[in-house]
């Protein structure tokens, strides 16, 4: 039998309560049939299979999201995907990457490949923290420390992230616009793990939600 333990869990749920006058005005607006829009953020996931074999890899991922703020890439061994002893979180691994970078529309992010290793953990860590800050928490907490954040260890728990809002963009668009421009995301890691793996790429992007006051349905455009 398998025993599981989960620790250090926190749930933060913002609650917004309006007064009776606002609620009455809001219900009147809905009944008039005028759609209501509001802005939010969400994640989308794209995946790619990385064939067995170590060395430099070029992994292409397709997405058509607008205003992509951050990208996170996480490796999992293919052999762990069906193992009851390795759920999706514990199966995450660092793949022993010695350097990595992203490319979008022919532009490399960061401007030079990030060097990773026992003495080069800082840049990988700082890029990830900048991504986490985009989640809306300026004090983005993490359980990673020097003992667990080891890029030379293939089974270390690492996400390779890049904050696209750190680079130039327009005043009305956050990060990069991948919608309708034929701009795939290319991830270029140099890995030491030789086994076949699955790459999960998570995109943090803007979303515009629309509430239809007549039908009561909510749609999302990203």
């Amino acid at each position: 039998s398998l025993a599981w333990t989960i620790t250090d869990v926190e749930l933060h749920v913002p609650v917004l309560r309006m007064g009776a006058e606002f609620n009455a005005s809001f219900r009147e607006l809905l009944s008039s049939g005028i759609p209501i829009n509001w802005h939010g953020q969400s994640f989308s996931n794209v995946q790619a299979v990385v064939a067995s074999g170590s060395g430099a890899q070029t992994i292409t991922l397709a997405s058509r999201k607008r205003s992509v703020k951050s990208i996170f890439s996480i490796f999992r061994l293919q052999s762990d995907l069906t193992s009851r002893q390795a759920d999706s979180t514990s199966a995450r691994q660092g793949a022993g990457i010695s350097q990595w970078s992203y490319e979008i529309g022919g532009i490399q992010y960061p401007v030079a490949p990030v060097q990773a290793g026992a003495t080069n953990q800082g840049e990988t860590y700082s890029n990830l923290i900048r991504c986490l800050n985009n989640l809306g928490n300026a004090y983005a907490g993490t359980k990673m420390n020097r003992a667990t954040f080891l890029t030379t260890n293939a089974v270390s728990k690492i996400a390779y992230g890049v904050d696209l809002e750190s680079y130039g963009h327009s005043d009305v668009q956050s990060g990069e616009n991948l919608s309708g421009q034929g701009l795939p995301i290319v991830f270029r890691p140099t890995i030491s793990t030789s086994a076949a793996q699955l790459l999960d790429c998570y995109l943090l992007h803007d979303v515009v939600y629309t509430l239809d006051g007549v039908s009561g349905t909510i749609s999302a455009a990203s």
Side-chain angles (χ1 to χ4, degrees):
S1 62
L2 300 175
W4 302 96
T5 301
I6 184 170
T7 60
D8 300 312
V9 176
E10 294 183 3
L11 175 63
H12 298 265
V13 181
V15 178
L16 189 63
R17 291 185 174 90
M18 300 300 181
E21 183 178 348
F22 176 87
N23 291 335
S25 175
F26 188 74
R27 282 191 290 268
E28 182 179 350
L29 183 62
L30 285 178
S31 63
S32 70
I34 298 176
I36 298 174
N37 299 324
W38 70 95
H39 168 265
Q41 294 182 359
S42 185
F43 284 94
S44 63
N45 170 247
V46 289
Q47 297 180 330
V49 174
V50 182
S52 58
S54 58
Q57 303 280 347
T58 298
I59 307 168
T60 302
L61 304 137
S63 175
R64 291 294 179 266
K65 298 299 180 182
R66 293 188 291 268
S67 296
V68 177
K69 298 171 175 289
S70 300
I71 304 175
F72 304 83
S73 292
I74 299 172
F75 286 94
R76 290 181 291 166
L77 288 175
Q78 287 276 36
S79 58
D80 283 343
L81 300 181
T82 56
S83 171
R84 294 180 60 222
Q85 294 180 320
D87 65 9
S88 59
T89 299
S90 64
R92 188 175 70 250
Q93 59 136 355
I97 288 181
S98 59
Q99 71 173 24
W100 59 270
S101 66
Y102 291 90
E103 181 183 316
I104 301 175
I107 300 175
Q108 183 172 268
Y109 302 91
V111 293
V114 175
Q115 300 301 308
T119 59
N120 289 303
Q121 302 173 33
E123 192 173 357
T124 297
Y125 184 83
S126 64
N127 273 281
L128 184 57
I129 291 300
R130 283 198 292 270
C131 291
L132 294 173
N133 286 340
N134 258 331
L135 301 182
N137 177 9
Y139 303 99
T142 173
K143 293 297 292 181
M144 294 177 294
N145 54 44
R146 186 173 177 81
T148 60
F149 201 85
L150 297 174
T151 54
T152 54
N153 183 354
V155 296
S156 55
K157 311 305 183 187
I158 295 175
Y160 301 96
V162 62
D163 172 26
L164 295 178
E165 286 207 302
S166 296
Y167 302 90
H169 54 81
S170 71
D171 293 334
V172 295
Q173 174 185 309
S174 301
E176 287 288 339
N177 182 5
L178 308 183
S179 175
Q181 299 184 27
L183 298 179
I185 300 168
V186 181
F187 185 45
R188 301 184 188 279
T190 300
I191 65 176
S192 64
T193 303
S194 59
Q197 299 174 85
L198 179 70
L199 174 70
D200 279 290
C201 185
Y202 296 91
L203 310 178
L204 173 64
H205 54 84
D206 287 334
V207 180
V208 175
Y209 297 96
T210 301
L211 172 61
D212 188 314
V214 176
S215 65
T217 59
I218 298 177
S219 58
S222 59

